[in-house]
Amino acid sequence: MRYLLPVALATTLLGLTACNTATSHTGIHSPATVLQGRLVGPQQMTLYVFDRDITGSGKSMCNDNCAKNWPPLFAPSNAQPIGAWNAITRDDGSKQWAYQGKPLYYWVQDSKPGDTSGDGVGSAWHVAKP
């Protein structure tokens, strides 16, 4: 009986950690998770990549009006690389997450988790996959 409280406390703490962060199989926290074979942001909304972005360039080609329809997956100003993840600096000075060198975006017409209506838009936007 005396071990019940420590076990319950540990289980609760582990549960809180699992609910509040996205953790890869290596235990490193990442800015997105994999859901049904695609990358999704913290609210489980689908993430996309843009063909005009040059892999590894550290630059987004989607700015201004483009970014209104394709909002970036913003990163904190002090973001550090995490495995396949790195933060790039956008034209406006904000930071954006990139996965394997490709900046990540949402699509404004996706209204709920699981939507992938941005896939194939303009033959240049694609669901981001791990």
Side-chain angles (χ1 to χ4, degrees):
M1 214 35 143
R2 64 181 164 193
Y3 297 108
L4 187 56
L5 183 57
V7 170
L9 180 59
T11 303
T12 300
L13 291 174
L14 286 173
L16 289 174
T17 301
C19 291
N20 292 324
T21 61
T23 307
S24 72
H25 67 280
T26 61
I28 298 172
H29 300 288
S30 65
T33 56
V34 178
L35 181 66
Q36 298 173 344
R38 66 184 187 283
L39 293 175
V40 296
Q43 271 58 58
Q44 305 300 303
M45 297 298 288
T46 301
L47 293 166
Y48 297 88
V49 293
F50 185 35
D51 286 346
R52 290 189 54 209
D53 288 335
I54 299 169
T55 302
S57 71
K59 179 148 178 62
S60 167
M61 298 303 292
C62 181
N63 293 286
D64 303 319
N65 285 334
C66 177
K68 290 177 184 172
N69 290 318
W70 299 94
L73 174 61
F74 287 108
S77 60
N78 63 347
Q80 297 296 313
I82 305 167
W85 298 91
N86 69 294
I88 63 165
T89 302
R90 298 181 49 74
D91 287 355
D92 65 5
S94 64
K95 297 284 188 174
Q96 177 179 2
W97 284 114
Y99 179 74
Q100 295 182 341
K102 290 289 269 189
L104 295 170
Y105 309 85
Y106 296 103
W107 171 230
V108 295
Q109 293 187 21
D110 282 351
S111 60
K112 64 184 182 311
D115 285 354
T116 58
S117 66
D119 196 29
V121 168
S123 299
W125 292 92
H126 310 284
V127 169
K129 298 183 178 181

